[in-house]
Amino acid sequence: MNGSVKVNKLFIVLFLILAMVVSLFSPIGALYKAEAAAITVDGKAADWSGVNSLSTNTGTAKSLKVTNDGTNLYLLVEGTGLSTTTSHFWLDT
């Protein structure tokens, strides 16, 4: 009988650990979905007013906004001292 009590306790502990691990992850339907916005590539940030910043910083690049329209991925980086000729933007995909 002592052996079955140990197995039951082990089963309960493993079940509780599994339940805790599963509770840490969101269901697939609840994952973050990208905001879709109508963006005109014209160098003006007016189209981006309804898109939340994905990242903010206190350095040269102050804000990063991202959206897509089903075909294209749009990125807006705002800040001071940014250069389109000497700066680089890398995507880790």
Side-chain angles (χ1 to χ4, degrees), residues 44-83:
K44 299 176 185 172
D47 294 345
W48 293 85
S49 62
V51 179
N52 294 327
S53 292
L54 183 64
S55 179
T56 57
N57 188 9
T58 57
T60 303
K62 305 280 186 210
S63 172
L64 169 65
K65 293 184 177 186
V66 179
T67 191
N68 69 309
D69 63 6
T71 304
N72 298 301
L73 175 66
Y74 300 96
L75 305 166
L76 173 68
V77 179
E78 294 180 298
T80 55
L82 299 173
S83 170

Side-chain angles (χ1 to χ4, degrees), residues 1 4 8 10-11 16-17 19 27 30-31 34 38 41-42 45 52 58 92:
M1 176 123 182
S4 73
N8 287 340
L10 178 63
F11 176 75
L16 291 174
I17 290 171
L31 293 175
V41 181
D42 57 6
N52 294 327
T58 57
D92 184 12

